[in-house]
């Protein structure tokens, strides 16, 4: 090691899913297969490019107001960032500064470990049970903060509000973050608990249900106190985080509630049909409440199946790892894309 390297902050980076630059059936990064709300295209088409010479609103006021109205909260309860990854990273930096370890599951969004190590935050990862479920009692012990996705990724399992509230009641002296990237495909949001728990932060994204992964919009909703702390950290770091096109497009996406609900329901319907088709082929999977399925087959090696699919331009996600090496994470695409997936699987399993 060179002398100057000794004081460089080092981290093991997050490894994102492949982004092939050609037309494939892309079921590997949990993107929405449908286009954004029609108003988004209209905004982009009619965008006043003269605005691009100006800095965007650092408070992201228009989008904050639209989100506050949509969720029935006050504007001082909303924080917006460049994708939920940006929001979550800012949460780690702002809220997790104890010498005690933060807690998150051993099988979960792998970026959590990256941020913890990057910011020198001690952490522990309680193991999911044999059915890939979070054991709530593992989160009763003393800690420096709690974060977990609901539904969890990559397992796709959703826990109800009683489960989330139980963890909150046992962790009222630390910040608890519920990462709800996939909640629109699942059930009730933990936002319903915000009035009772000032230490709760709920994080969501435009990347999944709102079909805007490429625009990079995420947000947190919590008590005015926690949002103020987040904004103070943001303005000490980078005031102008979100572009003018992202703000304007985000507003239009939130306005079109009917389109949002329609596309979410299409994905849910396709997911439930896909579960049936996977079961017919002999796959096992937890009961998915996300826009993906975490599936394994007792007779087929997951890595070999992943490679066979990829060779036929069907991309799914393979993680490896001791507990996940026999599983594939399959994003729910359009009905036509899923039919092509099942056509290939049917042929592959008849060889």
């Amino acid at each position: 090691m060179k002398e100057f390297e000794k004081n460089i902050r080092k981290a093991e980076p997050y490894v994102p899913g492949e982004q092939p630059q050609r037309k494939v059936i892309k079921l590997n990064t949990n993107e929405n297969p449908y286009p954004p709300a029609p108003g988004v295209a209209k905004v982009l088409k009619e965008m006043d490019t003269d605005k691009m010479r100006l800095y965007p609103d650092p408070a992201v006021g228009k989008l904050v107001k639209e989100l506050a109205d949509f969720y029935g909260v006050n504007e001082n309860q909303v924080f917006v960032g460049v994708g939920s990854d940006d929001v979550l990273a800012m949460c780690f930096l702002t809220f997790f500064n104890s010498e005690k370890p933060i807690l998150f599951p051993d099988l979960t969004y792998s970026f959590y470990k990256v941020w913890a190590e990057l910011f020198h935050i001690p952490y522990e990862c309680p193991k999911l049970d044999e059915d890939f479920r979070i054991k709530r009692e593992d989160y009763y012990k003393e800690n420096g903060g709690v974060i977990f996705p609901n539904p969890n990724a990559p397992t796709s399992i959703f826990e109800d509000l009683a489960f989330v509230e139980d963890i909150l009641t046992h962790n009222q002296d630390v910040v608890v973050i519920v990462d709800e990237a996939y909640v629109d495909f699942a059930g009730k949001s933990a936002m319903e608990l915000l009035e009772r728990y000032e230490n709760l932060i709920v994080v969501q994204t435009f990347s999944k249900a709102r079909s805007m992964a490429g625009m990079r919009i995420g947000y947190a909703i919590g008590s005015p106190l926690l949002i103020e702390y987040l904004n103070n950290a943001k303005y000490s770091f980078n005031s102008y985080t979100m572009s003018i096109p992202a703000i304007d497009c985000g507003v239009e996406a939130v306005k079109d509630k009917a389109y949002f609900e329609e596309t979410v329901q299409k994905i849910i319907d396709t997911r439930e049909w896909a579960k049936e088709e996977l079961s017919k082929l002999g796959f096992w999977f937890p009961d998915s409440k996300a826009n993906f399925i975490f599936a394994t087959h007792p007779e087929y090696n997951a890595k070999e199946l992943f490679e066979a699919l990829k060779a036929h331009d069907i991309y799914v996600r393979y993680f490896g790892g001791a507990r996940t090496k026999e599983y594939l994470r399959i994003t729910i695409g359009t009905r036509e894309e899923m039919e092509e997936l099942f056509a290939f699987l049917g042929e592959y399993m008849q060889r």
Side-chain angles (χ1 to χ4, degrees), residues 27 30 152 154-157 182 267-279 283-296 316-317 319 327-333 338 341-342:
L27 308 175
N30 297 345
N152 195 10
T155 65
S156 76
I157 294 174
Y182 305 101
I267 290 168
I268 291 172
D269 291 344
T270 304
R271 179 191 70 199
E272 296 307 304
W273 167 77
K275 288 182 191 176
E276 296 176 5
E277 296 302 305
L278 284 169
S279 294
F283 283 88
W284 180 88
F285 44 88
D287 184 23
S288 172
K289 296 298 180 182
N291 68 334
F292 60 87
I293 300 171
F294 192 54
T296 184
V316 297
R317 191 77 189 267
F319 294 98
Y327 286 79
L328 298 176
R329 194 192 68 189
I330 305 167
T331 302
I332 302 302
M338 301 305 288
L341 167 72
F342 291 123

Side-chain angles (χ1 to χ4, degrees), residues 63-74 77-78 180 183-184 189 191-192 194-195 202-206 209-210 219-221 254 257 260:
L63 184 53
V64 164
K65 182 182 186 309
E66 206 64 47
L67 286 165
D69 290 347
F70 185 87
Y71 289 110
V73 298
N74 295 320
Q77 291 183 261
V78 182
E180 292 187 339
V183 76
D184 297 308
S189 167
M191 287 186 204
E192 294 191 17
L194 285 170
E195 289 187 4
V202 178
V203 177
Q204 293 192 14
T205 178
F206 281 50
R210 296 192 187 278
Y219 53 99
I221 297 183
V254 178
K257 185 178 180 182
F260 166 72

Side-chain angles (χ1 to χ4, degrees), residues 228-248:
E228 181 180 3
Y229 281 127
L230 270 178
N231 275 314
N232 288 344
K234 168 192 169 180
Y235 294 142
S236 302
F237 200 81
N238 181 1
S239 297
Y240 304 107
T241 55
M242 182 161 291
S243 71
I244 289 171
I247 294 170
D248 290 349

Side-chain angles (χ1 to χ4, degrees), residues 119-334:
F119 299 138
H120 298 170
I121 301 167
Y123 64 91
E124 292 180 8
C125 299
K127 289 188 175 182
L128 301 180
D129 68 17
E130 61 276 8
D131 296 319
F132 293 132
R133 302 197 85 98
I134 294 171
K135 294 182 284 186
R136 67 181 78 187
E137 60 271 16
D138 288 342
Y139 296 81
Y140 293 174
K141 61 185 177 181
E142 195 172 17
N143 62 73
V146 173
I147 180 169
F148 61 95
N150 195 32
N152 195 10
T155 65
S156 76
I157 294 174
F158 176 70
E159 301 293 355
D160 63 20
L161 282 182
F163 179 97
V164 176
E165 185 162 20
D166 183 70
I167 289 181
L168 279 162
T169 57
H170 286 87
N171 291 279
Q172 297 190 51
D173 294 330
V174 298
V175 173
V176 176
I177 302 171
V178 183
D179 182 356
E180 292 187 339
Y182 305 101
V183 76
D184 297 308
F185 308 106
K188 291 184 177 180
S189 167
M191 287 186 204
E192 294 191 17
L193 304 174
L194 285 170
E195 289 187 4
R196 298 203 293 278
Y197 298 93
E198 192 178 27
N199 62 320
L200 169 64
I201 283 278
V202 178
V203 177
Q204 293 192 14
T205 178
F206 281 50
S207 296
K208 314 304 179 185
R210 296 192 187 278
S211 307
M212 294 178 70
M215 193 59 79
R216 312 308 300 128
I217 305 173
Y219 53 99
I221 297 183
S223 66
L225 177 67
L226 294 188
I227 298 304
E228 181 180 3
Y229 281 127
L230 270 178
N231 275 314
N232 288 344
K234 168 192 169 180
Y235 294 142
S236 302
F237 200 81
N238 181 1
S239 297
Y240 304 107
T241 55
M242 182 161 291
S243 71
I244 289 171
I247 294 170
D248 290 349
C249 289
V251 167
E252 289 304 316
V254 178
K255 281 181 178 178
D256 199 337
K257 185 178 180 182
Y259 182 84
F260 166 72
E261 292 176 346
E262 177 189 346
T263 53
V264 166
Q265 192 58 52
K266 280 199 283 189
I267 290 168
I268 291 172
D269 291 344
T270 304
R271 179 191 70 199
E272 296 307 304
W273 167 77
K275 288 182 191 176
E276 296 176 5
E277 296 302 305
L278 284 169
S279 294
K280 290 175 187 176
L281 291 171
F283 283 88
W284 180 88
F285 44 88
D287 184 23
S288 172
K289 296 298 180 182
N291 68 334
F292 60 87
I293 300 171
F294 192 54
T296 184
H297 198 290
E299 299 175 20
Y300 295 91
N301 177 273
K303 181 70 183 298
E304 291 177 4
L305 188 51
F306 164 78
E307 295 291 355
L309 285 162
K310 186 175 176 180
H312 283 74
D313 287 339
I314 302 174
Y315 281 61
V316 297
R317 191 77 189 267
Y318 176 73
F319 294 98
R323 297 182 70 187
T324 57
K325 64 183 179 180
E326 288 305 325
Y327 286 79
L328 298 176
R329 194 192 68 189
I330 305 167
T331 302
I332 302 302
T334 63

